[in-house]
Amino acid sequence: MPDEIPHAQFKRRAFSTHHIQCPYPGCKCWLKNSSGLKLHQSSAHSHSFTHPGSQRTQHASVEEIEDEEAPRRTNNELWESKHGLIRDYHETLTGHICDENGNFVDPGTPPPPYTVKSPDDWTPDFMYTENQMSAGDIKKILYLWGITLAVHRDNPPFADYKDLYNTINATPLGDVAWESFSLKYNGDKPAGECPLWMEQSHEVWFRDPHTIVKNMLANPDFKGGIDYMPYREFQEKDEQRRYKDFMSGDWAWQQADQIAQDPQMHGAAFVPIIVGSDKTTVSVATAEKRNTDELGYCKFKKQLFHSSLSRIFANLKPGMTTPEVTRCGDRHYRRIIYGLGPYIADYEEQVVLACMVKDWCGRCLAFPSSLDEGGVSQSCEHTDALVDSIDFGILWDEYGIIGELVPFTNDFPRADIHELLAPDILHQLIKGTFKDHLVEWVGQYLELTHGKTRAKAILDDIDRRIASGPPFPGLRHFPQGRGFSQWTGDDSKALMKVYLPAIKGHIPDDMVRAFQALLEFCYIVRVNVVTDDTLPALNDALGCFHTYRTIFQTTGICFDISLPRQHSLIHYKLLIQMFGAPNGLCFKYNALSQMLLTNQRLDKVAAARVDFTTRGMLKGSFENPSYIDNNDGDPEVQPNPAHAGSNPFAIESDDFDDVEDQDELDIPSFPTLICLFLYDQIHVDNHHSSADVPLRDCPSYTGPIKIFHSAAATFITPSDPSGITGMHREHIRIVPLWRKGPARFDCAFVNTDNRHDGMLSMDVVRIFCFFSFTFTNSHTYPCALVQWFHRITEERDELTGMWMVAPSFNEDGSHDLSIIHIDSIMCSAHLLPIFGTQLIPHGLRFYDSLDLIPHGLRFYDSLDVYRGFYVNRFTDHHAFELAS
């Protein structure tokens, strides 16, 4: 386990440029130190050395311009303030502010100041969190940095990665020391030789959750972002209930009702502790390998887990019954009441947490052979009554309860482990039901139906279909289809987004419908706000999934579909009502020791940055831009106030080419298109468009234009990568060469009819050029040259649930092109080919030809080769809502 982080001052080691290579081109000399380098340069190379500085490319985008006098609010709060919402707050647990002694004060009382620190009281601040470089990469970059500074008789800020780590370790801000305790078996032992596990002592390392939670509550970054009291939210127009943040669920309200029975709790703030864990290979006890066949040892290690959790959370227990005065991020003190909240874990861990037998459910008493028929809800009270009155053997066989085990929640007030088992979308839905069940069953069906040889050919074609999908911002490309030696959660999530069109035509329609129903369920569960209308849609999707998955039984693939992970889906409606919208929580796999040290260092760096910001030490170019997610794999762009406004779409201003002659574009219709565009822009208030007037009546423009190769769209879409504020930025690429390869022309949604919602309000276009020009009226127009796609039908495809579109052409066979203002572009759109039933020709490669004439098809040529496409509504949360 990691060593405890030292608090003592340490002596920084200076950087030493041992083994420095001469930077002169072609010179192979290596020098021992900077003096040797300087001597070598003066003797071997008579001219001076210059190192060109890196030029930082700035990009234009859009950011919200907020009034500095206004209170800080999240983007979601700004949106909600414009819509009719009603919040019913809990009447007694109100999170009232108090002084440091716990005495309530007037709500208008200003907060006490923080302890004043000097603005030049620096603790090192690093880029440790940006790329999370490995030790080897840190060493390399510091070494290269040192070489460039050596000629200037200067040193980099850190000698090597050890010096960097030691500096972070010595940072006092955000520090929570490591603690440990030991546990060992204390039950009855057999006569004679005891098993090794009964004699061993087990060491558990942890950081005090009580201190961690207090640090989180006091973090100024969370000012205005914490709900201190439960609430129920309704839409004013129709009084529909809205389930969003955790405190909007019924569980927090019910806990508050229990706490409020004690008058001493009135006015306090309820702070639930949401827990999650994920078993890693390094956390498995070595003794387990020698005792796996012993039932006693299996029970012991489960009880060891519960006893460890009970000890780890022990310091929080007093604050669960007696209010604890704690300072919060807004600098006010509040009387805090803690409580154990939902526990997010995979099914294998839920088995341990609920002290139950494998294949049973931790939330209800449904029998393993018929899980989806449901059963009465489990509770600790019911379990304790059974344990006290029924033989443990009967408990095991008829109730799925391991009577010898005691859950850790029994040691804490108001905690019931059966009630607290929370939804785990990654393991239950994505990796479990989708990948481990349905995807595997498809392979088994093909082999059972067609034999191994033909099944392999079909699976290879499915892989080629997956690989041929056009690029999309943030969407992983699968050059080898499903060919992974080891799947990760990210692999499974990415495959879900492109799998449906790839299997259509190769498997029975009901199998496709089963996949479509599961995807619908997954994306409904992950929406940011669940309403009373959403819950019936969730039940409908689940009902369809249960209906269509029976095809895997009737075809002989599996005889038992009473599976715990699939069974968990029936509890999601209740869990949303209890805990609010899940919105896609998951956990990563890392080596335990390194993971813990890294997390501690990240905490320290984050705390240092917050402290510096509070003291005004990061004003100007050192201050972080707004936290806007960019999952396109590109460097984050800096907002440019020049483009601020209501439209969240902006051309990137420094990435352009000047074109003096429009003929260089090799688009014969371009002068005509720009005339039609200008007419529509200048006569925007008229009731007729450029299509209604002769071309000669349209203004003309033959001057220079600026061509841009990308644009950034910024919009609200709360999700996993975007964080709680929900701001997301994606780049739309229009480039003649993409990453030293072929051209890339992305597709987008364009707003064309505000009278409708969803896809009926939009059209899909493929963008061939971003450009801007300044007309004689001195107005600059940012534009896009686009090809239109038309809807094949006026409703979604029944099997896939996706809209189908096709590229539009003129009567002479030329592309149906237009010039549009970028204000009408909403965001990227992802199109997947309609493959039909034919196999894609062999030869599909990530980089080479997949063009049907004559070499095959490239994935980036799909938009040119196919004539029909699905509008992929499963790329992300935003597309799911837009393309419904």
Side-chain angles (χ1 to χ4, degrees):
M1 297 301 295
D3 296 330
E4 189 167 335
I5 299 295
H7 297 279
Q9 295 290 327
F10 67 96
K11 184 177 181 180
R12 294 284 309 281
R13 182 164 61 85
F15 176 83
S16 177
T17 55
H18 286 294
H19 305 293
I20 301 176
Q21 184 180 18
C22 175
Y24 185 76
C27 183
K28 298 181 180 180
C29 292
W30 290 76
L31 293 310
K32 183 176 181 181
N33 51 44
S34 56
S35 299
L37 175 63
K38 183 177 180 180
L39 180 63
H40 167 75
Q41 289 175 341
S42 61
S43 61
H45 313 292
S46 57
H47 58 276
S48 62
F49 283 73
T50 59
H51 300 275
S54 61
Q55 295 182 349
R56 184 178 184 178
T57 302
Q58 295 183 346
H59 304 277
S61 187
V62 173
E63 64 178 353
E64 295 252 357
I65 306 299
E66 296 182 338
D67 185 357
E68 294 183 359
E69 300 297 325
R72 176 180 174 182
R73 303 157 103 182
T74 67
N75 291 290
N76 288 339
E77 288 170 341
L78 289 171
W79 183 86
E80 291 174 350
S81 67
K82 300 175 184 178
H83 295 69
L85 297 178
I86 301 173
R87 277 194 178 184
D88 180 17
Y89 287 95
H90 200 273
E91 293 183 351
T92 49
L93 258 66
T94 57
H96 199 95
I97 61 174
C98 63
D99 60 25
E100 60 184 353
N101 297 315
N103 301 310
F104 291 125
V105 297
D106 187 84
T109 304
Y114 282 121
T115 303
V116 178
K117 293 183 180 180
S118 170
D120 59 357
D121 178 18
W122 283 91
T123 304
D125 181 31
F126 325 101
M127 299 296 288
Y128 182 78
T129 60
E130 295 296 324
N131 293 314
Q132 299 188 23
M133 292 183 179
S134 65
D137 287 342
I138 293 173
K139 180 179 179 181
K140 181 178 180 180
I141 196 169
L142 288 172
Y143 171 72
L144 296 174
W145 196 353
I147 291 176
T148 63
L149 293 176
V151 294
H152 304 293
R153 297 183 180 181
D154 202 355
N155 294 322
F158 308 102
D160 52 24
Y161 71 91
K162 293 181 180 178
D163 187 30
L164 171 64
Y165 291 165
N166 288 336
T167 306
I168 298 176
N169 292 345
T171 302
L173 297 169
D175 187 29
V176 181
W178 285 101
E179 303 176 41
S180 67
F181 58 87
S182 296
L183 295 174
K184 64 184 303 184
Y185 177 78
N186 63 353
D188 297 332
K189 297 180 181 179
E193 183 178 359
C194 284
L196 181 62
W197 60 268
M198 290 187 177
E199 303 292 342
Q200 283 182 325
S201 178
H202 300 270
E203 190 175 32
V204 179
W205 284 82
F206 72 104
R207 296 167 70 198
D208 183 17
H210 182 231
T211 306
I212 292 173
V213 171
K214 290 181 67 175
N215 286 351
M216 292 173 65
L217 290 173
N219 190 335
D221 263 6
F222 297 146
K223 178 183 177 182
I226 297 179
D227 293 311
Y228 294 104
M229 54 186 134
Y231 65 91
R232 290 169 175 166
E233 189 170 79
F234 303 87
Q235 295 176 172
E236 187 174 11
K237 61 180 180 179
D238 52 14
E239 297 186 352
Q240 279 203 49
R241 178 80 179 271
R242 286 166 47 98
Y243 301 93
K244 184 183 177 185
D245 301 321
F246 178 77
M247 296 296 271
S248 69
D250 290 335
W251 181 85
W253 190 283
Q254 293 166 4
Q255 288 282 301
D257 284 344
Q258 293 183 47
I259 295 170
Q261 293 177 10
D262 182 355
Q264 298 298 318
M265 304 292 190
H266 294 187
F270 178 49
V271 176
I273 310 300
I274 301 176
V275 187
S277 63
D278 196 5
K279 179 180 178 182
T280 62
T281 54
V282 293
S283 66
V284 179
T286 56
E288 180 179 347
K289 298 178 181 179
R290 298 189 292 270
N291 300 282
T292 51
D293 293 333
E294 295 187 32
L295 180 60
Y297 175 69
C298 292
K299 293 179 179 179
F300 163 72
K301 68 179 183 179
K302 292 178 179 179
Q303 189 60 60
L304 177 66
F305 178 68
H306 283 278
S307 298
S308 298
L309 289 177
S310 181
R311 171 64 181 83
I312 289 170
F313 290 113
N315 286 350
L316 284 167
K317 186 174 181 178
M320 296 179 182
T321 53
T322 303
E324 181 180 281
V325 178
T326 303
R327 196 163 201 183
C328 301
D330 59 3
R331 303 191 326 202
H332 282 293
Y333 289 95
R334 287 178 176 83
R335 302 174 67 182
I336 302 297
I337 287 292
Y338 298 113
L340 284 182
Y343 199 122
I344 305 166
D346 189 12
Y347 176 72
E348 301 296 335
E349 289 177 272
Q350 290 186 0
V351 169
V352 178
L353 287 165
C355 304
M356 66 183 183
V357 179
K358 192 174 182 295
D359 295 331
W360 288 73
C361 175
R363 294 197 60 89
C364 71
L365 285 172
F367 208 73
S369 61
S370 55
L371 285 172
D372 291 335
E373 293 182 6
V376 297
S377 296
Q378 292 210 53
S379 68
C380 281
E381 183 179 1
H382 179 249
T383 299
D384 290 343
L386 292 175
V387 170
D388 291 339
S389 58
I390 298 179
D391 178 77
F392 284 0
I394 298 176
L395 280 178
W396 180 291
D397 295 332
E398 297 185 11
Y399 294 92
I401 296 172
I402 305 176
E404 297 92 333
L405 302 182
V406 180
F408 79 99
T409 49
N410 281 20
D411 295 335
F412 299 90
R414 307 181 305 276
D416 184 333
I417 190 58
H418 303 292
E419 181 184 59
L420 296 179
L421 293 178
D424 183 353
I425 293 175
L426 175 65
H427 294 101
Q428 293 170 345
L429 301 187
I430 299 173
K431 293 185 67 176
T433 304
F434 171 74
K435 189 269 173 185
D436 293 340
H437 296 164
L438 299 192
V439 173
E440 291 298 320
W441 291 350
V442 165
Q444 295 171 23
Y445 164 79
L446 293 173
E447 186 170 323
L448 180 65
T449 304
H450 301 287
K452 290 186 177 181
T453 302
R454 178 61 179 170
K456 184 180 184 306
I458 296 175
L459 288 172
D460 287 345
D461 186 67
I462 292 175
D463 287 339
R464 288 193 293 272
R465 291 181 174 190
I466 293 170
S468 67
F472 181 80
L475 181 62
R476 174 177 175 176
H477 182 257
F478 293 90
Q480 305 300 327
R482 304 162 298 108
F484 302 126
S485 58
Q486 182 175 355
W487 284 74
T488 67
D490 288 339
D491 294 331
S492 299
K493 285 189 284 188
L495 184 65
M496 284 181 69
K497 301 176 181 182
V498 297
Y499 192 67
L500 206 53
I503 58 174
K504 184 180 178 183
H506 284 315
I507 60 176
D509 288 350
D510 278 0
M511 288 188 183
V512 179
R513 293 187 180 99
F515 275 97
Q516 190 257 333
L518 177 64
L519 291 179
E520 291 279 344
F521 185 91
C522 289
Y523 277 82
I524 293 173
V525 162
R526 297 168 69 185
V527 296
N528 184 45
V529 178
V530 177
T531 68
D532 287 339
D533 277 346
T534 312
L535 293 175
L538 187 70
N539 281 342
D540 289 344
L542 180 58
C544 289
F545 175 66
H546 284 165
T547 297
Y548 293 123
R549 69 174 178 175
T550 57
I551 185 68
F552 293 103
Q553 288 179 295
T554 58
T555 54
I557 305 305
C558 57
F559 299 100
D560 180 15
I561 54 176
S562 180
L563 303 169
R565 286 186 176 88
Q566 291 192 28
H567 165 70
S568 69
L569 275 63
I570 71 171
H571 294 300
Y572 270 62
K573 177 183 177 181
L574 174 63
L575 292 172
I576 289 171
Q577 293 172 319
M578 294 295 289
F579 301 134
N583 209 5
L585 297 174
C586 65
F587 297 91
K588 303 294 184 182
Y589 293 91
N590 293 288
L592 184 61
S593 177
Q594 185 61 38
M595 176 178 66
L596 296 176
L597 272 177
T598 299
N599 287 345
Q600 184 173 4
R601 287 170 176 151
L602 289 173
D603 288 346
K604 285 169 163 283
V605 174
R609 174 169 289 279
V610 170
D611 181 67
F612 298 159
T613 302
T614 302
R615 288 188 274 147
M617 298 165 64
L618 298 181
K619 293 295 184 183
S621 61
F622 294 99
E623 194 166 16
N624 268 352
S626 300
Y627 291 104
I628 302 177
D629 168 62
N630 167 33
N631 61 4
D632 194 22
D634 299 306
E636 183 61 281
V637 301
Q638 297 293 328
N640 187 335
H643 287 269
S646 61
N647 176 40
F649 193 85
I651 294 176
E652 297 186 356
S653 62
D654 285 348
D655 182 20
F656 65 85
D657 297 323
D658 283 313
V659 176
E660 297 294 332
D661 187 352
Q662 297 177 15
D663 291 338
E664 294 181 30
L665 296 176
D666 195 25
I667 303 174
S669 61
F670 190 84
T672 299
L673 296 176
I674 207 167
C675 292
L676 299 175
F677 168 79
L678 281 171
Y679 182 91
D680 290 332
Q681 292 297 309
I682 295 173
H683 302 88
V684 66
D685 295 329
N686 288 0
H687 296 293
H688 54 272
S689 68
S690 57
D692 304 319
V693 299
L695 182 61
R696 64 177 179 270
D697 292 341
C698 298
S700 63
Y701 177 78
T702 59
I705 63 175
K706 288 184 177 180
I707 295 179
F708 299 81
H709 300 302
S710 64
T714 304
F715 45 86
I716 296 176
T717 174
S719 62
D720 255 354
S722 302
I724 58 175
T725 58
M727 293 303 294
H728 173 80
R729 174 177 294 147
E730 68 184 15
H731 293 85
I732 300 177
R733 303 295 180 187
I734 312 298
V735 291
L737 288 176
W738 175 243
R739 295 181 176 175
K740 300 181 180 180
R744 172 173 170 177
F745 302 106
D746 289 349
C747 296
F749 291 111
V750 175
N751 189 359
T752 54
D753 191 347
N754 290 326
R755 296 171 300 175
H756 300 284
D757 296 322
M759 268 296 293
L760 295 179
S761 69
M762 303 178 297
D763 283 300
V764 175
V765 299
R766 189 181 185 190
I767 304 173
F768 287 108
C769 181
F770 284 123
F771 68 96
S772 68
F773 67 94
T774 302
F775 192 50
T776 54
N777 58 6
S778 299
H779 187 84
T780 298
Y781 294 98
C783 313
L785 174 67
V786 303
Q787 178 186 12
W788 295 97
F789 284 68
H790 64 270
R791 289 188 289 273
I792 296 176
T793 63
E794 290 303 306
E795 58 185 13
R796 289 186 289 169
D797 176 50
E798 187 265 337
L799 287 184
T800 63
M802 300 182 189
W803 291 89
M804 297 183 293
V805 297
S808 297
F809 295 89
N810 297 317
E811 293 181 358
D812 60 0
S814 61
H815 289 180
D816 181 11
L817 300 177
S818 292
I819 292 176
I820 62 174
H821 198 287
I822 65 167
D823 282 355
S824 62
I825 300 177
M826 301 185 65
C827 62
S828 295
H830 189 229
L831 304 185
L832 290 171
I834 299 175
F835 296 103
T837 58
Q838 294 182 345
L839 301 183
I840 293 179
H842 287 277
L844 173 64
R845 289 173 288 185
F846 173 73
Y847 56 89
D848 202 3
S849 175
L850 246 198
D851 194 351
L852 292 179
I853 31 172
H855 303 294
L857 172 68
R858 294 172 293 189
F859 77 95
Y860 40 76
D861 283 339
S862 297
L863 293 171
D864 297 317
V865 172
Y866 290 96
R867 288 296 174 260
F869 300 88
Y870 295 109
V871 180
N872 189 0
R873 56 194 291 256
F874 299 116
T875 51
D876 53 34
H877 307 276
H878 197 230
F880 181 75
E881 294 184 4
L882 283 178
S884 295

